[in-house]
Amino acid sequence: DHKLTSVVPIRKQTRAARDDTPSVYFDVPVDQIKTVVYRDLVKQDTEGIYSFMEFPDGYSDQFYEQLVSEHVVINQKTNLPKWEKMEGHERNEVLDCVVYNYAMAYIAGLDTLIDEDWDALAEDQRRQIQSRNNSNSMMMARQNRRRTVSQGLS
């Protein structure tokens, strides 16, 4: 077992990969993940399909422009496909973030979860939030008592 600390694309050995810090590095197949992301973005019928992308309302047009800012071209020298920014698209940070989040989710095993697992995670998160809120309320009550006592003594 290892503690996941980071996911980095490895194209060549970096300074971080050479130092003595114990780390786990994963080769992130960026181009393959971009292909999967674009495939999942165009799915129309999501009934019974677990691999698709859905975003909440309210994201700006710029978010979606960055998400679809690249396309596949065939490298003339190697005759292999490669991803490039489309003309007129200067930024692609959203696509990069989606790609690395996808990689992290895969490494963490989130792709193997079924509905019941997601429900259990949601319930656990709800309990943690409730517990945190209860702790905060108790701490505030103690602070208010201290203030009351100290104000009464002055």
Side-chain angles (χ1 to χ4, degrees):
D1 287 323
H2 62 271
K3 183 176 181 183
L4 183 61
T5 56
S6 62
V7 173
V8 294
I10 299 176
R11 295 188 183 177
K12 59 186 175 188
Q13 187 178 20
T14 63
R15 179 180 174 160
R18 291 189 306 257
D19 70 15
D20 294 333
T21 307
S23 298
V24 177
Y25 293 91
F26 294 90
D27 186 8
V28 176
V30 172
D31 288 349
Q32 290 89 335
I33 294 175
K34 286 179 183 177
T35 301
V36 170
V37 166
Y38 272 61
R39 180 202 65 201
D40 290 349
L41 284 171
V42 298
K43 288 186 179 172
Q44 299 291 322
D45 180 17
T46 58
E47 186 67 34
I49 297 175
Y50 289 98
S51 180
F52 65 96
M53 299 229 153
E54 186 174 3
F55 299 96
D57 293 336
Y59 282 2
S60 69
D61 289 346
Q62 185 182 19
F63 174 90
Y64 294 104
E65 288 170 11
Q66 287 188 29
L67 182 61
V68 295
S69 62
E70 296 186 16
H71 65 145
V72 176
V73 296
I74 302 299
N75 184 318
Q76 297 301 317
K77 293 179 183 176
T78 63
N79 208 28
L80 296 173
K82 69 176 186 171
W83 285 87
E84 287 184 353
K85 280 188 194 170
M86 289 190 285
E87 195 172 314
H89 290 264
E90 295 178 22
R91 304 182 69 136
N92 67 343
E93 289 89 349
V94 170
L95 178 59
D96 290 342
C97 287
V98 168
V99 166
Y100 288 111
N101 283 326
Y102 190 99
M104 286 290 297
Y106 180 81
I107 290 166
L110 298 181
D111 63 318
T112 64
L113 299 182
I114 58 175
D115 287 343
E116 291 79 14
D117 298 327
W118 286 108
D119 292 342
L121 284 170
E123 179 61 24
D124 185 48
Q125 185 177 34
R126 187 194 63 73
R127 276 194 227 112
Q128 288 178 16
I129 290 169
Q130 184 64 40
S131 175
R132 196 173 317 127
N133 288 343
N134 290 343
S135 295
N136 288 342
S137 296
M138 289 171 37
M139 189 172 20
M140 294 287 287
R142 272 185 257 143
Q143 288 174 348
N144 287 337
R145 276 195 302 271
R146 282 188 214 127
R147 279 192 208 112
T148 303
V149 170
S150 65
Q151 289 171 357
L153 295 175
S154 48

